[in-house]
Amino acid sequence: MKIDRRQFAGMLSAAAALGVAKRGAASVSSQQPLFVATWNFGLPACKQSLETLNKTKSILDAIEMGIRVAEADTSVDSVGVGGAPNANGVVQLDACFMDGETHKAGSVAALENYPHPISVARRVMEKTKHVLLVGAGAADFAKKQGFEAQDILTSEQKKKWEKWLADQAKAAKAADNVAPPNHDTIALVGMDATGHIAGGCSTSGLAYKMPGRVGDSPILGSGLYVDGEIGAAGATGIGENVMRYCGSFLIVEFMRSGMEPTAACRAAIERIAKTEKKKPADLHINFLAIDKKGRWGSAGTDEGYEIAVVTPESARLEKPFLVV
Ligand code: ASP
């Protein structure tokens, strides 16, 4: 069959729409476990997930224990202990946990003084009839569940916050803008060898956020979504740009309609950018996804965004598809 230039160009764009992307996509056999997480600190987290899965055979334990690694690492300045505080100097953590098989989920938002919000979120799922607990109620629940409270503002983060406060005052005087603060969330999704999918997400949110501000991370469908029949997606970046579009839900629905994970992540970003009438790079939104076939993929608008991919055969960082 002879193919003319127009047909060939059409085939290329169809391939692009289906997500035949060069970077940020691949597949593993659905017979082997797969863990994918945002950012480079997702790598030790995913390794822990695989180790836990091997030990307990529970994908839920694997997700929780993986995310706890990032939460416990004080060098990760956007998750758990060592996370950045809000504008009042108080660390308020957000997390969510979702099981694709039962479609059950739990979340906590603006949780203070508990270093492992992912574990509290899992308990919300397992021990209550509710999905989301916030603030003092979430802390009270954590206490009743036997979690130990501790001061999670590190002296390093306190110093940075004090400098930020001083810079704010200077900037106000100079009527200048202060550079936007750091942000990074761990979203970790995984599947065991039987095809059981689950995921979790944990963050201190945007650094120096308005007290009480909650981003996309603990909001199901925004920072995380898992559908046991289709796959899972997670997000990191400016939550406000994700949650108004239910970003992770959108990606899972794109996969339901036949897109592979990277194509679905790209399509979500393109949809958001088009509606916002903004360049993708100005949105600071980054996604990852896995599907039931064992394929993983990712796309983002931030040059520095990377994801961790761990299987029994390899553990590595990958560069997501950059949407420009
Ligand atoms: N999405 C998080 C939030 O908006 C922050 C991040 O991932 O960078 O709270």
Side-chain angles (χ1 to χ4, degrees):
M1 187 178 69
K2 233 175 124 197
I3 297 171
D4 68 20
R5 265 165 81 192
R6 252 181 54 207
Q7 279 172 313
F8 184 64
M11 281 164 64
L12 281 184
S13 57
L18 284 169
V20 186
K22 285 197 189 80
R23 91 179 195 166
S27 71
V28 295
S29 148
S30 57
Q31 297 311 306
Q32 71 172 4
L34 166 69
F35 293 97
V36 183
T38 49
W39 304 110
N40 57 0
F41 52 78
L43 193 57
C46 285
K47 285 184 187 167
Q48 180 62 57
S49 291
L50 184 61
E51 206 181 306
T52 303
L53 183 69
N54 289 337
K55 231 185 265 166
T56 73
K57 312 289 174 225
S58 160
I59 188 72
L60 303 186
D61 290 350
I63 299 292
E64 179 187 355
M65 297 318 284
I67 290 177
R68 283 177 67 104
V69 169
E71 289 177 336
D73 185 345
T74 52
S75 72
V76 178
D77 61 5
S78 47
V79 180
V81 190
N86 65 16
N88 287 350
V90 178
V91 185
Q92 293 191 318
L93 302 177
D94 301 333
C96 75
F97 192 91
M98 190 162 190
D99 177 4
E101 201 161 276
T102 58
H103 214 77
K104 285 193 169 161
S107 296
V108 289
L111 176 67
E112 295 176 16
N113 298 320
Y114 287 89
H116 292 296
I118 194 67
S119 299
V120 185
R122 181 177 175 187
R123 292 284 177 92
V124 172
M125 178 182 92
E126 291 176 341
K127 305 281 183 197
T128 79
K129 292 180 189 146
H130 310 298
V131 171
L132 172 61
L133 294 180
V134 305
D140 193 39
F141 171 73
K143 188 177 175 192
K144 286 187 178 131
Q145 285 294 312
F147 291 104
E148 221 167 285
Q150 72 176 73
D151 186 4
I152 52 177
L153 178 65
T154 57
S155 54
E156 209 186 5
Q157 282 290 11
K158 189 160 184 255
K159 264 187 230 147
K160 283 189 193 166
W161 169 70
E162 283 163 353
K163 181 177 179 312
W164 173 81
L165 266 188
D167 288 350
Q168 289 285 106
K170 267 188 244 155
K173 263 192 213 155
D176 209 355
N177 278 331
V178 178
N182 297 341
H183 56 87
D184 287 346
T185 291
I186 183 160
L188 192 161
V189 296
M191 184 166 71
D192 68 13
T194 70
H196 186 164
I197 302 173
C201 189
S202 181
T203 190
S204 53
L206 295 184
Y208 321 131
K209 60 195 176 187
M210 183 184 284
R213 176 264 186 192
V214 172
D216 59 323
S217 307
I219 307 299
L220 294 157
S222 289
L224 178 81
Y225 191 65
V226 186
D227 182 315
E229 281 185 6
I230 304 297
T236 176
I238 297 188
E240 284 74 5
N241 291 338
V242 173
M243 60 206 294
R244 286 179 292 118
Y245 294 87
C246 299
S248 294
F249 177 77
L250 187 60
I251 290 166
V252 171
E253 290 306 301
F254 280 146
M255 293 195 292
R256 190 190 303 279
S257 72
M259 288 187 196
E260 63 80 46
T262 294
C265 293
R266 282 177 63 184
I269 292 171
E270 282 159 6
R271 160 91 62 90
I272 296 169
K274 191 173 168 211
T275 311
E276 295 286 308
K277 298 186 181 59
K278 279 188 177 157
K279 278 196 227 121
D282 294 335
L283 291 169
H284 300 290
I285 50 175
N286 304 285
F287 294 101
L288 55 69
I290 59 172
D291 71 10
K292 190 80 174 172
K293 292 181 185 155
R295 297 182 294 186
W296 58 266
S298 60
T301 65
D302 291 325
E303 189 64 60
Y305 176 49
E306 54 191 346
I307 63 162
V309 181
V310 170
T311 69
E313 273 146 27
S314 74
R316 60 198 192 276
L317 289 171
E318 290 276 350
K319 225 43 205 149
F321 187 92
L322 186 65
V323 184
V324 288

